Amino acid sequence: MVQTTRRIKEYLRVIDIVIEVVDARIPRSGRAPLLDQLAARRARVVALSRDDLADPAATRLWLEDLAARGAHAVAIDARKRGGVARLADAIGATSRRDGRAAKVARAMIVGPPNSGKSTIVNALLRRAAAKTEDRAGVTRQLQWFRLAPNVELMDTPGVLPPKISDVAAQWKLALCGAVPRNRYDPAAVVGAFHCWLVERRPRTSVPDLETFAEARGFVRRGGETDYHNAAASYISAFNDGVFGRISLEIPDDAEAA
Ligand SMILES: Nc1nc2c(ncn2[C@@H]2O[C@H](COP(=O)(O)OP(=O)(O)OP(=O)(O)O)[C@@H](O)[C@H]2O)c(=O)[nH]1
Ligand SMILES: [Mg+2]
């Protein structure tokens, strides 16, 4: 990631538009603060991906918050044509506003691992040009694509802050799939999530790990529970929307209110 960050920095000199893709469920934890620095003075579009899995009320707050900060933000299901069409409009509007429509405009897609960057590249190109997969770290190189005669698009590997000291950010990123699977303990992540949820919604019907493991048959012969695999399955279920649309963060101002 250090290498990727360095290369992103190099290429930024020739980039007109930065398209930041963050999971709508974790817009705070999912954003690499470094990008703010790097992308300063560039036209910027923020795509809140996985809108289909996020709580609509929380997403509305994030869109208002981002708009108030001057970013052009859209919430999308990156796998659906309609959402990406709105993103394409936002990119077009941003490049026109900057008076760059005449020459070749270069856009760079950045964001944390597994946030949907390559899915968006493919949707914009209308073909499966970039490799996508449901795990962090699929895209390994910076890669250019031609979007239109005068628009070039660069896909990049996901970047996270080098050291995530915020414990809540750690489990949230892992739960949402932004951390490679061998870098966290799934049972601890599920435990932290469920504690967090119960604190906010004491009457939630979302099961804890124990209940989930029993219901899904993760109890081994002899009565011992396979928590590790149960937790991995729990995380998949969370990301398939089995527990409903759950956002893990709202903007600071809304949180304070
Ligand atoms: N439900 C849902 N799934 C999505 C959405 N966008 C992407 N995905 C899925 O998320 C997974 C990751 O998508 P990618 O496009 O490979 O993500 P990426 O940001 O390029 O990931 P890296 O290259 O690893 O950094 C894939 O399985 C996609 O189908 C979305 O808006 N909603
Ligand atoms: Mg990718």
Side-chain angles (χ1 to χ4, degrees):
M1 284 198 197
V2 174
Q3 164 99 18
T4 299
T5 309
R6 193 165 59 223
R7 302 216 60 208
I8 287 177
K9 210 159 154 183
E10 280 165 23
Y11 275 103
L12 267 172
R13 275 182 281 129
V14 300
I15 299 293
D16 306 296
I17 307 172
V18 174
I19 304 164
E20 190 179 349
V21 182
V22 276
D23 191 315
R25 299 169 297 174
I26 46 166
R28 189 180 314 109
S29 299
R31 298 188 61 190
L34 182 72
L35 288 175
D36 280 335
Q37 252 174 308
L38 294 180
R41 300 193 306 275
R42 293 283 177 292
R44 213 154 173 199
V45 176
V46 179
L48 296 178
S49 62
R50 297 210 175 86
D51 183 34
D52 53 305
L53 294 172
D55 175 355
T59 302
R60 213 172 312 120
L61 292 173
W62 281 111
L63 291 175
E64 284 166 11
D65 181 76
L66 287 160
R69 289 164 199 273
H72 200 136
V74 288
I76 59 171
D77 176 343
R79 302 161 310 167
K80 296 245 167 77
R81 180 63 56 82
V84 177
R86 277 188 293 117
L87 177 62
D89 289 346
I91 297 168
T94 304
S95 60
R96 277 193 298 281
R97 191 179 62 208
D98 276 42
R100 289 182 166 121
K103 65 165 185 102
V104 173
R106 295 195 186 91
M108 179 188 255
I109 303 223
V110 295
N114 205 35
S115 59
K117 301 177 295 299
S118 302
T119 303
I120 288 176
V121 167
N122 289 341
L124 287 168
L125 294 171
R126 293 168 187 251
R127 63 191 166 89
K131 190 171 157 202
T132 67
E133 211 179 301
D134 186 16
R135 65 181 172 84
V138 173
T139 304
R140 309 202 68 91
Q141 302 283 339
L142 285 77
Q143 194 180 2
W144 282 113
F145 297 94
R146 183 166 294 279
L147 184 55
N150 61 344
V151 186
E152 287 171 11
L153 187 63
M154 178 179 260
D155 191 14
T156 64
V159 278
L160 284 174
K163 196 159 182 281
I164 306 161
S165 48
D166 178 352
V167 175
Q170 286 172 4
W171 70 255
K172 289 175 183 174
L173 285 161
L175 183 66
C176 294
V179 181
R181 277 170 204 160
N182 57 358
R183 299 253 201 95
Y184 61 89
D185 170 10
V189 166
V190 172
F193 161 66
H194 203 263
C195 278
W196 172 90
L197 187 65
V198 167
E199 212 169 90
R200 277 156 189 79
R201 299 195 224 151
R203 295 159 64 85
T204 181
S205 60
V206 175
D208 62 8
L209 183 55
E210 186 83 56
T211 311
F212 180 86
E214 263 168 43
R216 297 280 181 117
F218 283 98
V219 182
R220 290 193 190 111
R221 225 178 295 159
E224 199 191 316
T225 305
D226 177 4
Y227 287 112
H228 188 82
N229 285 315
S233 170
Y234 189 110
I235 292 174
S236 297
F238 176 82
N239 288 300
D240 287 339
V242 170
F243 306 137
R245 298 174 68 163
I246 302 174
S247 289
L248 303 176
E249 294 173 347
I250 55 174
D252 286 332
D253 295 349
E255 193 103 57

